Amino acid sequence: MKIMNTVVFALILAASMASRLEAQAQVSLNIPSESTYESGKSLCQKTYASLIAHEKGFYVRVPVDYSRPERGMTEVYSYFHRGFDPSKETMIYFTGGPGQTSHWGLFRNPVPYNVLIMEHRGVGCSRPDTRSMFLDPSYYSSENVARDAEVVRQHLMINQWTVYGISYGTVPATMYASLFPQNTRAAILEGVVYDGGLQLWDAPHRRKLLQRMLNSLSPSLMARLESVSAVHGIPDTWLSRQARTQLMYNDGVKKLKERLELLTDDKVFKDFLTEVRKSYEPITYTPHILFASNDIAYMMISCQELGMANPEVSIEDSFIKGQLVRKVDTESLKQCARLRAKGDKIYRAENYPVKVPVTYFQGSDDGATAAPEGVRHYKNVPVGFKQLAILVRGGHNPNLELILYENPQQLQIFDYAMKGLPIPKSLYSEMKKNTGHFWAYTSN
């Protein structure tokens, strides 16, 4: 049970873009008042110091605005997951979200390199000193995160490291590898964000996968699924929410279908209705500020760089008469306006060409960052060595999920990627033979 909990937590929290994309737009922003605001240093060196003492983290001063030094300095928090060994090579891990906490770590077991995790500015221990800065849209940007990482590297006097990003983390990871190639050994991108266009959220590829699965269900089961909203009054986005969560995982479409097929049983269906209704109820607790994603940072980046301020943005689909239909998300637009976060800095990966070796891990059935977007990144961004591995029926973190399940071939594959070396095709063949996992692989 302990191992399974670790796996579930790591998968959901290390790369939780799927849940963030759908859930955060549905809840009210938690904006602190002047009297309740607490800086990251106060949170992590006083209020909750005992909870993260084992990390032995440290702070580094970075510019608030790299183009305007007169705005002063702020501080970002980092720590080495499982400590630092100067004889080993180092990797920096860019968390997802955006706004994802850093305190869940990454790998469950020790790995043969140092893993640095930097808490992005505005999140947890890296919250600025003042509330006004915390709520200033100009304080937040992915390029600032990348440049903050470079200041941390200089502070640590590390000559080169590998950058690893999952989900939204692939954005600052791409930027860092582009801006600082001389300090980047290699880049590893998993569950890739290509740009902040509507397809990031709308994900027609995901809709196509799900509709194909729905079309394979029996007429009687489809009628029961349609009754969830038509008869029982549950919002018609319920299926989209269920799918988004399930497609985080490998074999997600298959597992979702299996779960839906269980709903032919009356008792199972009744329990399911209760569960889905509860998912739309407001939460009755306050998520821990250090161990839950930060909604302010999430919205600031999503609105400004990832297209959430676009009037046509669609985060969830309606399920109507057997069909998935895109639904415009008006709530996110209201939140963007409330934060004064305009969509005028849209991220485009092609603006950050990468010269260092790049390895891509993508799931064919990824429900958060669709596989075609990863392929576009692979085709248009690297200008040096590149290799792309797509796990057939894989989810949002196909590589990390296999590593967490201690797949020996996947650990070897990741080690090649860490070093920026071509991955032997024999490893993929061995994996398919031993476990049935099939990676479609290509390189230049």
Side-chain angles (χ1 to χ4, degrees), residues 124-345:
C125 297
S126 294
R127 291 185 6 152
D129 289 338
T130 66
R131 176 180 179 273
S132 61
M133 187 171 291
F134 179 65
L135 297 177
D136 183 351
S138 69
Y139 179 72
Y140 298 87
S141 85
S142 300
E143 189 165 314
N144 278 346
V145 171
R147 293 186 182 279
D148 291 347
E150 173 58 12
V151 177
V152 172
R153 184 199 64 79
Q154 293 174 16
H155 171 80
L156 295 169
M157 294 186 290
I158 293 174
N159 292 329
Q160 272 195 333
W161 55 12
T162 292
V163 298
Y164 177 31
I166 292 178
S167 193
Y168 162 73
T170 63
V171 175
T174 296
M175 291 177 168
Y176 185 93
S178 178
L179 295 170
F180 307 106
Q182 69 277 14
N183 306 122
T184 307
R185 178 185 304 105
I188 305 173
L189 307 177
E190 182 168 358
V192 182
V193 176
Y194 179 65
D195 64 28
L198 289 177
Q199 287 200 354
L200 171 62
W201 307 93
D202 196 24
H205 178 71
R206 179 184 67 245
R207 188 181 299 117
K208 181 179 179 180
L209 289 172
L210 292 174
Q211 192 64 59
R212 183 186 303 156
M213 180 273 290
L214 290 170
N215 293 344
S216 71
L217 301 179
S218 68
S220 60
L221 177 54
M222 282 293 281
R224 173 155 280 194
L225 298 183
E226 291 168 13
S227 76
V228 171
S229 297
V231 176
H232 300 282
I234 292 174
D236 59 18
T237 55
W238 70 269
L239 181 56
S240 180
R241 290 192 175 195
Q242 293 285 317
R244 186 75 73 113
T245 300
Q246 192 66 64
L247 267 62
M248 282 284 287
Y249 303 98
N250 296 338
D251 287 316
V253 174
K254 177 183 176 182
K255 292 173 182 176
L256 176 62
K257 181 178 181 180
E258 290 172 348
R259 187 176 192 209
L260 294 178
E261 288 176 335
L262 293 175
L263 300 182
T264 56
D265 181 278
D266 290 343
K267 184 180 184 306
V268 173
F269 184 62
K270 182 179 179 180
D271 292 341
F272 178 78
L273 292 175
T274 300
E275 172 192 329
V276 175
R277 281 197 186 94
K278 288 182 178 179
S279 72
Y280 283 91
E281 296 174 358
I283 60 174
T284 57
Y285 62 92
T286 301
H288 198 289
I289 196 167
L290 296 188
F291 295 94
S293 296
N294 182 280
D295 55 350
I296 301 298
Y298 170 80
M299 293 303 299
M300 289 292 194
I301 294 290
S302 297
C303 296
Q304 295 184 105
E305 300 183 10
L306 302 180
M308 191 174 278
N310 188 316
E312 297 300 317
V313 69
S314 173
I315 291 176
E316 296 179 314
D317 291 334
S318 294
F319 179 59
I320 303 173
K321 296 182 179 180
Q323 298 296 311
L324 291 168
V325 182
R326 72 187 307 272
K327 183 174 184 176
V328 174
D329 176 30
T330 57
E331 185 61 30
S332 291
L333 296 177
K334 294 176 184 177
Q335 293 185 359
C336 292
R338 185 181 180 191
L339 292 173
R340 299 172 291 113
K342 301 177 181 179
D344 54 1
K345 303 174 184 176

Side-chain angles (χ1 to χ4, degrees), residues 350-362:
E350 64 264 28
N351 293 335
Y352 295 91
V354 177
K355 298 178 182 178
V356 304
V358 186
T359 299
Y360 295 81
F361 294 112
Q362 188 71 44

